[in-house]
Amino acid sequence: MAASFGEQLRLAREARGISLREISEQTRISMRYLEAIEANDFKRLPGGIFNRSFIKAYARYIGYDEKEAVEAYTHALREQGDTSEEPTNLSQKPRVYTDGNSTRSPIVTLLLTILILAILSLGVYAALHWYQRREATRTTGNTTQMSPPQPAPPAAGQQGPSTAAPGTSPQTNNATAAAGFQIQIKAVGEQVWLRVYVDDASPKSAFAGNLEPDETKEFTPERSLRIQCSKDKAPSLAITINGRPAKVPFNMKGSLAEMTVSKNDYEQFLQ
């Protein structure tokens, strides 16, 4: 028997190793609403446009096609004999994103939610910008500290020793040694769902979602980077390390493909 709408979403979520708690924390949708979606119990949802918003946010986070999810949800409603999409209890105002007993207007709640998400996004952007500037400053400082002392000028009639190879200089060699660890991930020609962990920060991922065709994400880990994606989408990922193309092998784990790049061994993958 074909899986129901909620079962399809649950199977897609479990295939990617994502918990309902993670979706709730990232989308700000109550756990009981997420459980109701997977159980096809739509009468527990607030109704109206909020149901479709929940379905789209859930599908987007697990890499499921949003349009297909909404169409499947509408079909499931028709099968249950409900086409109104209105709240089941008209004597109560729909409660969105919370299990509390607030009587605030849903429009005000939605606007406040959008404002909070915008503030959080700005905060994340500012933190990322600050981190990148700090890394750039630290790399520059390390290069300056590692520059070798200049030799004393040779005495008259004496030629100073030459230790650098022809065409190179000590400053150039030290700058190369102090280079950072930057990794770029690009989706080549098609949309790819992936999840990225920086410095083994499990279970909190640095990124989880869809990478649009020819879109690039850049990460600057201190030690390592772990990448997971759908097994059939692995060939569509292009990896660049410190500006050079790299060929990193994937390990297959069920429906997922996973690869790890560390600062100690990434040079063996460079092309």
Side-chain angles (χ1 to χ4, degrees), residues 85-153:
E85 289 197 4
E86 292 296 330
T88 57
N89 189 349
L90 298 180
S91 64
Q92 296 183 1
K93 296 181 180 180
R95 300 183 175 92
V96 183
Y97 293 101
T98 177
D99 295 331
N101 294 321
S102 172
T103 58
R104 183 185 295 117
S105 167
I107 297 179
V108 174
T109 301
L110 183 60
L111 291 176
L112 288 175
T113 302
I114 294 174
L115 178 61
I116 292 172
L117 291 176
I119 293 174
L120 290 175
S121 299
L122 288 175
V124 172
Y125 174 79
L128 180 60
H129 182 68
W130 171 83
Y131 177 79
Q132 290 177 340
R133 291 190 62 181
R134 190 190 70 170
E135 289 297 309
T137 302
R138 185 168 64 178
T139 301
T140 303
N142 290 339
T143 303
T144 303
Q145 293 176 5
M146 294 179 64
S147 297
Q150 297 297 326

Side-chain angles (χ1 to χ4, degrees), residues 25 75 178 226:
E25 291 176 353
H75 181 72
R226 180 157 56 96

Side-chain angles (χ1 to χ4, degrees), residues 69-231:
V70 172
E71 291 177 352
Y73 160 69
T74 304
H75 181 72
L77 277 180
R78 293 197 187 99
E79 289 184 343
Q80 294 181 5
D82 183 4
T83 60
S84 63
E85 289 197 4
E86 292 296 330
T88 57
N89 189 349
L90 298 180
S91 64
Q92 296 183 1
K93 296 181 180 180
R95 300 183 175 92
V96 183
Y97 293 101
T98 177
D99 295 331
N101 294 321
S102 172
T103 58
R104 183 185 295 117
S105 167
I107 297 179
V108 174
T109 301
L110 183 60
L111 291 176
L112 288 175
T113 302
I114 294 174
L115 178 61
I116 292 172
L117 291 176
I119 293 174
L120 290 175
S121 299
L122 288 175
V124 172
Y125 174 79
L128 180 60
H129 182 68
W130 171 83
Y131 177 79
Q132 290 177 340
R133 291 190 62 181
R134 190 190 70 170
E135 289 297 309
T137 302
R138 185 168 64 178
T139 301
T140 303
N142 290 339
T143 303
T144 303
Q145 293 176 5
M146 294 179 64
S147 297
Q150 297 297 326
Q158 180 181 0
Q159 184 178 2
S162 175
T163 58
T168 63
S169 65
Q171 290 83 354
T172 301
N173 293 335
N174 280 283
T176 301
F181 187 39
Q182 295 183 339
I183 299 177
Q184 291 182 329
I185 307 173
K186 180 179 181 181
V188 180
E190 63 177 332
Q191 184 187 77
V192 180
W193 177 91
L194 72 153
R195 181 167 51 201
V196 180
Y197 295 92
V198 175
D199 295 326
D200 296 325
S202 180
K204 189 71 173 179
S205 58
F207 174 80
N210 289 323
L211 203 59
E212 298 302 323
D214 298 322
E215 181 184 0
T216 300
K217 289 288 184 181
E218 182 173 308
F219 301 90
T220 55
E222 293 185 1
R223 298 183 302 276
S224 63
L225 194 78
R226 180 157 56 96
I227 304 169
Q228 294 179 338
C229 68
S230 300
K231 184 177 181 180

Side-chain angles (χ1 to χ4, degrees), residues 1-16 37-40 58 62 64-65 68-69 71-73 75:
M1 183 176 65
S4 66
F5 166 66
E7 290 174 340
Q8 292 176 9
L9 291 182
R10 178 179 59 80
L11 292 174
R13 171 179 64 79
E14 292 176 347
R16 290 167 170 78
I37 291 173
E38 291 192 349
N40 294 300
Y58 184 115
I62 66 172
Y64 197 94
D65 186 86
E68 180 180 340
E71 291 177 352
Y73 160 69
H75 181 72

